[in-house]
Amino acid sequence: METLEEDELCFPQLLNSSCRKTMRPHSVSMLTYILLSSISLLTVTLNLLVIISISHFKQLQTPTNIILLSLAVSDFFVGLLVSFQIVLIDGCWFLGDLMCIVYYFLDYIITSASVGTMVLISVDRYVAICDPLHYPTKITQKTVTISVCLCWIFSVFSNILILKDNLEQPGRYNSCSGECVFVINYIAGLVDLFLAFIGPVTVIIVLYMRVFVVAVTQARAMRSHIAAITLQCPVTVTANKSEMKAARTLGVVIVVFLICLCPYYCVTLTGQDTLLNVSSVAFVMCLFYFNSCLNPVIYAFFYPWFRRSIKLIVTLKILQPGSCDANIL
């Protein structure tokens, strides 16, 4: 009996202070391990391909793709964070209190940066569809680069303030050894909820509703006057079709992102204080992680340039001199 009880503890040598393991059938643990390992490997690999593609090929370094590069970077780090969930399969945290808070801190930064990037995507598509004549002057590579940097900087500093108490004294809310818990007070929780979810999601929905209305109007106008427009301004029609396709693709990315993110913030609304235990939010976190794996898959289906760049990367043709100037589009 004593051996059985020790086997149930995260730290058998600490009988009085150790947390208990989450007891699951061996088959369930192995399935979870395989699933999380697959998600982690696939997420890191696919997003690394996106990062290499946009960073290497000059033709792909457009304002819209720079925003996608930011999203790929955040998704890449999400893939790395999945390894922490693998450590927690038995419900025990063996990496210490400091790493526990670092994990949560990175998770919050990445989540906030991802949401901010989605807002930038919405703004980019809004200007491209609703104000196409001024798009080249309003949405420049320099403007987008500065916006992306500010998005990440704001994410870091805002989460330092939100997680201040936890960062000052890691492990202060743990009830036993082997636990990884952090607490956000009620006010900080509301601020985080508004800045990282309610506010950005509202902006995204409003902008894309506007994009949808304008897109439908343009589609009807193009169908009514397709012959005249094709004869007079064939380049404009092609450009409009290209922008509309990009809007649809990025709309799919945003919808999938919101579906995967909403459960995470629904969990944070439980209780007077936002108390989250790593084990209790495993499902919603995995759903959020899986979204980071889906984004490159969406690009592969909708973007021919991504498929072409993958082929060049896998065949190592990017190592050839002048490959960065290759025609990808």
Side-chain angles (χ1 to χ4, degrees):
M1 179 65 74
E2 183 179 351
T3 304
L4 180 63
E5 290 181 353
E6 289 182 357
D7 289 343
E8 294 176 354
L9 299 177
C10 295
F11 297 95
Q13 67 274 22
L14 303 174
L15 294 175
N16 296 327
S17 59
S18 175
C19 298
R20 290 184 174 274
K21 294 181 180 179
T22 302
M23 304 305 294
R24 298 187 182 91
H26 180 69
S27 58
V28 174
S29 296
M30 286 302 298
L31 180 62
T32 305
Y33 178 82
I34 294 172
L35 181 63
L36 289 178
S37 299
S38 301
I39 291 176
S40 177
L41 181 61
L42 201 58
T43 301
V44 169
T45 303
L46 291 176
N47 284 288
L48 189 58
L49 289 173
V50 177
I51 294 170
I52 294 173
S53 298
I54 298 176
S55 301
H56 181 76
F57 298 108
K58 293 180 180 179
Q59 200 175 38
L60 298 181
Q61 293 170 6
T62 63
T64 301
N65 285 349
I66 289 175
I67 303 175
L68 292 183
L69 177 62
S70 173
L71 184 61
V73 169
S74 64
D75 288 340
F76 174 80
F77 283 112
V78 166
L80 295 180
L81 285 181
V82 175
S83 58
F84 287 99
Q85 287 294 331
I86 296 174
V87 173
L88 284 162
I89 286 178
D90 292 329
C92 297
W93 183 265
F94 298 107
L95 303 179
D97 295 334
L98 179 60
M99 284 302 297
C100 170
I101 298 304
V102 168
Y103 163 70
Y104 274 121
F105 184 53
L106 292 177
D107 175 62
Y108 261 58
I109 290 174
I110 292 168
T111 303
S112 301
S114 296
V115 175
T117 302
M118 288 298 174
V119 173
L120 294 179
I121 289 175
S122 301
V123 172
D124 174 76
R125 289 301 89 197
Y126 173 79
V127 178
I129 301 299
C130 300
D131 193 11
L133 295 179
H134 295 96
Y135 180 81
T137 55
K138 287 184 177 180
I139 310 296
T140 64
Q141 192 167 333
K142 181 179 179 180
T143 303
V144 169
T145 303
I146 293 174
S147 300
V148 167
C149 291
L150 289 176
C151 175
W152 281 88
I153 292 171
F154 176 78
S155 178
V156 171
F157 282 100
S158 62
N159 285 297
I160 287 176
L161 296 176
I162 291 171
L163 299 176
K164 181 182 177 183
D165 293 340
N166 297 273
L167 292 171
E168 288 177 348
Q169 191 177 342
R172 65 187 298 180
Y173 299 109
N174 292 347
S175 59
C176 55
S177 299
E179 192 173 31
C180 180
V181 172
F182 80 103
V183 174
I184 302 176
N185 64 52
Y186 185 64
I187 301 299
L190 287 179
V191 172
D192 175 64
L193 188 65
F194 179 79
L195 291 180
F197 185 66
I198 296 177
V201 168
T202 302
V203 173
I204 290 170
I205 292 174
V206 169
L207 289 180
Y208 249 88
M209 287 297 293
R210 176 62 179 163
V211 167
F212 176 76
V213 171
V214 173
V216 170
T217 304
Q218 288 184 1
R220 288 175 178 172
M222 287 172 65
R223 282 196 299 267
S224 302
H225 306 88
I226 188 67
I229 294 177
T230 303
L231 290 173
Q232 295 174 13
C233 307
V235 177
T236 303
V237 174
T238 304
N240 284 340
K241 287 183 178 179
S242 176
E243 297 294 355
M244 295 288 286
K245 182 179 179 181
R248 286 196 299 269
T249 303
L250 297 177
V252 172
V253 172
I254 288 176
V255 170
V256 172
F257 178 81
L258 294 178
I259 291 173
C260 293
L261 189 69
C262 283
Y264 174 83
Y265 277 96
C266 288
V267 170
T268 67
L269 290 173
T270 59
Q272 186 70 12
D273 286 333
T274 307
L275 175 62
L276 295 178
N277 183 289
V278 177
S279 300
S280 66
V281 296
F283 173 75
V284 293
M285 290 306 300
C286 285
L287 186 63
F288 176 70
Y289 293 152
F290 187 60
N291 170 250
S292 298
C293 180
L294 287 177
N295 287 336
V297 175
I298 295 172
Y299 305 153
F301 273 108
F302 290 95
Y303 287 139
W305 61 258
F306 185 49
R307 295 193 294 272
R308 296 190 193 106
S309 62
I310 288 177
K311 187 176 180 180
L312 293 176
I313 293 170
V314 172
T315 56
L316 300 181
K317 290 184 178 179
I318 63 169
L319 300 179
Q320 297 177 358
S323 61
C324 60
D325 297 317
N327 185 18
I328 301 295
L329 299 177

